[in-house]
Amino acid sequence: MLKRLAHPAVLLLLTAFIWGANAVAGKLSVGHISPMSLTLLRWVGALILLFPFARPHLERDRPTIRRHWLYFVGLGLLGFTSFNALFYVAMGYTSAINAMIIQAAMPLVVFVGMFLFFHIRVSVLQVVGFALTLVGVLLVASHGHPETILALDLNIGDAMILASTTIFGVYTILLSRKPRVHWLSSIFLLSLGGALGAVPLLAWEVAAGLTFAPDAQGLLILAFTIVFPSILSQALYIKGVEMIGANRANIFVNTVPVFGAILAVLILAEPFHAYHLAALSLVLGGIAIAERGKRTVQPAAE
């Protein structure tokens, strides 16, 4: 039973489910806690909860950490601060369903980056699968009207989600080259980078007069994001990438829209349009084709 739970597919599907729930939480946070407050406080809360458990591993991993501390902190700034700050701001301008389907472009970013920087080869079927995924993302980003892409007439929230998705794809590529330390050391150091990077963003938000104290709903959302998206999902994702590599692990991001769309309809009562169904079909069809065409690669390559 424990071995089945530790299977990379299970770990990554749980990650995708939590990320789908996080998109819903991000939508529910609008007006209840300011975006930069949520970005900073979630990582500070994660650090407080993680430290007692991570401390012995940090001591054991100290030699490696000393050599690579800038890598870990920089990775936290990229994947934890930049991604989440853009994501939470974007949720004030777009729907949770749109955000989750657009995030399905992330495997395409990882695929291209792994090929360009590390020469990870892929099959024709994988290229076809990723192309279908991209078409699905463009369909939902244009709200069912692809001609708006050519006119550059996109919702600003959707554009922010595309930017944040690209950022997290780059984070995933770099994560595939993570020095070997205990996962608790990794998540603690990445959270530290996330917290440090969020400080100037909160300072800007305060200076702009956009910060406000969280209400009861805001505090509940903060507690949820600390425990699940900030700690549990990141730990599962790191482990999944370690087990099967960045290219194959990131394909599971394409299940985020499936979990998230269900939650958005049930919890937020968001409308589900025909173009959402078409986009989901393209995304899921793309992942199926890409997985059928996957090549066997050496673990060291990713």
Side-chain angles (χ1 to χ4, degrees), residues 94-112:
T94 191
S95 71
I97 291 177
N98 272 24
M100 287 174 290
I101 296 178
I102 292 170
Q103 279 184 304
M106 201 180 299
L108 182 63
V109 176
V110 175
F111 152 66
V112 172

Side-chain angles (χ1 to χ4, degrees), residues 151-203:
L152 296 179
D153 184 21
L154 290 179
N155 178 297
I156 187 174
D158 293 338
M160 288 181 178
I161 294 295
L162 279 171
S164 68
T165 296
T166 302
I167 287 171
F168 203 83
V170 174
Y171 160 82
T172 299
I173 294 167
L174 296 174
L175 186 65
S176 71
R177 293 301 189 268
K178 181 180 68 67
R180 287 197 173 277
V181 296
H182 193 273
W183 71 268
L184 278 168
S185 296
S186 293
I187 197 71
F188 183 87
L189 293 168
L190 293 171
S191 297
L192 179 61
L196 291 173
V199 171
L201 294 178
L202 180 60

Side-chain angles (χ1 to χ4, degrees), residues 59-114:
E59 290 289 337
R60 190 178 304 112
D61 294 329
R62 182 181 295 180
T64 303
I65 292 170
R66 280 180 175 173
R67 292 194 302 271
H68 302 286
W69 68 270
L70 191 58
Y71 168 90
F72 283 106
V73 172
L75 207 57
L77 287 169
L78 185 69
F80 286 12
T81 304
S82 302
F83 169 77
N84 285 288
L86 266 176
F87 183 84
Y88 289 136
V89 172
M91 293 314 296
Y93 299 93
T94 191
S95 71
I97 291 177
N98 272 24
M100 287 174 290
I101 296 178
I102 292 170
Q103 279 184 304
M106 201 180 299
L108 182 63
V109 176
V110 175
F111 152 66
V112 172
M114 293 296 287

Side-chain angles (χ1 to χ4, degrees), residues 230-241:
S230 300
I231 297 177
L232 183 58
S233 72
Q234 298 300 335
L236 294 173
Y237 189 62
I238 289 170
K239 186 62 178 175
V241 171

Side-chain angles (χ1 to χ4, degrees), residues 1-291:
M1 179 65 177
L2 289 176
K3 285 185 178 180
R4 283 197 294 268
L5 290 175
H7 190 280
V10 176
L11 301 182
L12 292 164
L13 285 172
L14 285 172
T15 300
F17 178 82
I18 294 171
W19 285 352
N22 186 48
V24 173
K27 191 66 178 178
L28 289 171
S29 74
V30 176
H32 298 279
I33 182 170
S34 62
M36 301 311 150
S37 296
L38 180 55
T39 302
L40 175 60
L41 293 176
R42 66 177 285 185
W43 299 120
V44 171
L47 287 170
I48 293 170
L49 288 180
L50 284 168
F51 183 70
F53 305 100
R55 184 176 179 179
H57 302 290
L58 290 167
E59 290 289 337
R60 190 178 304 112
D61 294 329
R62 182 181 295 180
T64 303
I65 292 170
R66 280 180 175 173
R67 292 194 302 271
H68 302 286
W69 68 270
L70 191 58
Y71 168 90
F72 283 106
V73 172
L75 207 57
L77 287 169
L78 185 69
F80 286 12
T81 304
S82 302
F83 169 77
N84 285 288
L86 266 176
F87 183 84
Y88 289 136
V89 172
M91 293 314 296
Y93 299 93
T94 191
S95 71
I97 291 177
N98 272 24
M100 287 174 290
I101 296 178
I102 292 170
Q103 279 184 304
M106 201 180 299
L108 182 63
V109 176
V110 175
F111 152 66
V112 172
M114 293 296 287
F115 177 76
L116 291 177
F117 295 108
F118 303 120
H119 308 293
I120 303 300
R121 303 181 66 182
V122 295
S123 68
V124 173
L125 282 179
Q126 282 182 302
V127 175
V128 172
F130 285 124
L132 285 176
T133 293
L134 181 60
V135 171
V137 170
L138 293 177
L139 184 63
V140 74
S142 64
H143 300 270
H145 299 283
E147 65 274 12
T148 62
I149 299 290
L150 298 176
L152 296 179
D153 184 21
L154 290 179
N155 178 297
I156 187 174
D158 293 338
M160 288 181 178
I161 294 295
L162 279 171
S164 68
T165 296
T166 302
I167 287 171
F168 203 83
V170 174
Y171 160 82
T172 299
I173 294 167
L174 296 174
L175 186 65
S176 71
R177 293 301 189 268
K178 181 180 68 67
R180 287 197 173 277
V181 296
H182 193 273
W183 71 268
L184 278 168
S185 296
S186 293
I187 197 71
F188 183 87
L189 293 168
L190 293 171
S191 297
L192 179 61
L196 291 173
V199 171
L201 294 178
L202 180 60
W204 166 82
E205 188 180 70
V206 171
L210 301 174
T211 302
F212 52 90
D215 57 16
Q217 181 169 319
L219 291 173
L220 286 173
I221 291 168
L222 174 61
F224 169 79
T225 58
I226 288 172
V227 175
F228 292 96
S230 300
I231 297 177
L232 183 58
S233 72
Q234 298 300 335
L236 294 173
Y237 189 62
I238 289 170
K239 186 62 178 175
V241 171
E242 287 179 351
M243 293 173 76
I244 62 173
N247 267 350
R248 290 187 61 199
N250 207 243
I251 269 290
F252 286 86
V253 172
N254 283 327
T255 60
V256 172
V258 179
F259 295 125
I262 294 170
L263 292 172
V265 171
L266 293 177
I267 298 173
L268 301 176
E270 287 189 355
F272 192 80
H273 299 290
Y275 67 81
H276 284 135
L277 180 60
L280 280 173
S281 299
L282 287 167
V283 165
L284 293 177
I287 186 174
I289 291 172
E291 277 295 280

